[in-house]
Amino acid sequence: MSKNLLVKMIAGSIVKKYVDNNPDYYNGICTSTFVVKGVKTREHHSGKNRVTITLPEDGRTKFMVYYPYIKKGYYYYIANESKKDLEANGVKINQSQIEKTGEMTVDGHKCDVYKTKFDMESNEGGARNVGNVHCEWAVCQGFVTGEGYALPGVKGMVLKSTINVVSQATSKEMNMDLRFNFASTLENMTERAVADSEFEVPAEIKMVDIEKKPKEMLKIIQENAKYLKKKGLWVEAPDEAPKIYDNLAEDWDY
């Protein structure tokens, strides 16, 4: 929303390029497979045929993302910033307590339901930015993977979750709102020995450091999406009015 037509056109083109036409935003149903060993994780996202590996490294987390079909990928690091570090950089964070709100059964497993929300606010470039994240988890105590794995201070495995994100940017020139909704449910879990080699990128994958070549990231994502669409492997949900899923009991039909 803006009274300035030029600003509105520029903002609209940015959203179209980086949100509407960004193939990394997958609007549909898919199955993701996770492999977990301690703090190491490996996810295969079937919808985008993407593999993401996360590893702790020198007080930060290394993310390695690659696409097996096109044999390309990229990597980057994210500092493990504390709330104090973020607030020192001008980011104000309000977090509600993790609250147990009830119980539910997921695939025959009794779960405790927890809710929390985060509100983050910053002022940058003459704009006030506010992010609201509302989360809800169904945690099964029968699957204990270590203190704090499911939620801080909560033992167990998350069998079902919903996350709603609203990002708002306000300045003298315009107001812009973006909304994302994520929901997942665990279908199957197998305990087995996990080798460290499962958290290594295959030698045939060409990896790019996007801190040095930031433009390569979107090129790789677009190339992968183009390949999947050409082969008929990319399936998105039909367009519909946006909907916020407020609780785990919703009938998720998307």
Side-chain angles (χ1 to χ4, degrees):
M1 294 169 54
S2 175
K3 295 180 180 179
N4 187 317
L5 182 59
L6 179 60
V7 169
K8 196 168 186 175
M9 290 174 63
I10 293 173
S13 66
I14 291 173
V15 171
K16 187 175 182 63
K17 179 177 180 181
Y18 293 104
V19 180
D20 290 349
N21 293 334
N22 188 337
D24 208 34
Y25 293 143
Y26 185 84
N27 177 30
I29 299 173
C30 73
T31 298
S32 287
T33 302
F34 286 87
V35 177
V36 180
K37 184 177 183 179
V39 293
K40 300 178 181 179
T41 67
R42 182 181 188 274
E43 177 203 7
H44 177 245
H45 186 293
S46 67
K48 293 181 281 191
N49 193 44
R50 180 193 68 190
V51 177
T52 302
I53 297 173
T54 64
L55 300 172
E57 190 173 298
D58 300 327
R60 55 185 182 171
T61 301
K62 183 178 183 180
F63 289 80
M64 296 181 286
V65 183
Y66 69 91
Y67 303 87
Y69 285 158
I70 63 172
K71 293 181 170 54
K72 293 181 181 180
Y74 55 87
Y75 66 92
Y76 58 94
Y77 297 87
I78 293 182
N80 299 330
E81 294 184 294
S82 65
K83 180 179 178 181
K84 184 177 181 180
D85 294 329
L86 291 170
E87 291 180 340
N89 291 322
V91 179
K92 182 181 179 182
I93 301 175
N94 298 309
Q95 176 186 350
S96 69
Q97 296 295 317
I98 296 174
E99 178 186 3
K100 181 179 177 181
T101 58
E103 298 178 347
M104 72 182 302
T105 300
V106 179
D107 194 26
H109 300 288
K110 183 179 177 182
C111 299
D112 295 323
V113 177
Y114 296 87
K115 280 187 176 182
T116 190
K117 66 179 180 179
F118 303 85
D119 298 318
M120 295 182 289
E121 181 180 337
S122 66
N123 290 279
E124 187 176 1
R128 178 174 177 263
N129 300 286
V130 179
N132 308 107
V133 183
H134 294 245
C135 310
E136 190 170 8
W137 299 272
V139 181
C140 180
Q141 303 288 338
F143 300 123
V144 179
T145 57
E147 182 73 36
Y149 176 76
L151 301 169
V154 179
K155 290 184 178 181
M157 173 69 75
V158 177
L159 300 191
K160 199 170 186 179
S161 67
T162 180
I163 300 173
N164 302 303
V165 182
V166 178
S167 176
Q168 303 168 312
T170 306
S171 69
K172 292 181 179 180
E173 296 291 344
M174 69 173 183
N175 297 323
M176 182 183 295
D177 296 349
L178 298 175
R179 183 165 59 183
F180 303 89
N181 309 307
F182 309 89
S184 66
T185 183
L186 185 69
E187 294 183 343
N188 183 280
M189 183 173 68
T190 303
E191 291 187 74
R192 63 173 177 83
V194 179
D196 289 334
S197 59
E198 296 188 48
F199 304 96
E200 297 175 357
V201 177
E204 68 269 18
I205 305 294
K206 182 180 179 181
M207 298 293 288
V208 176
D209 182 351
I210 60 169
E211 291 183 359
K212 296 179 179 178
K213 297 181 178 180
K215 294 182 180 180
E216 291 299 309
M217 176 178 168
L218 188 56
K219 289 181 181 178
I220 293 172
I221 292 171
Q222 289 174 334
E223 182 181 343
N224 177 70
K226 185 177 180 180
Y227 177 91
L228 295 179
K229 290 175 181 178
K230 182 179 179 180
K231 298 295 184 179
L233 302 173
W234 183 282
V235 182
E236 288 200 1
D239 291 335
E240 58 183 15
K243 180 180 179 182
I244 290 290
Y245 291 80
D246 293 321
N247 61 71
L248 295 173
E250 288 278 0
D251 179 16
W252 299 337
D253 58 358
Y254 69 100

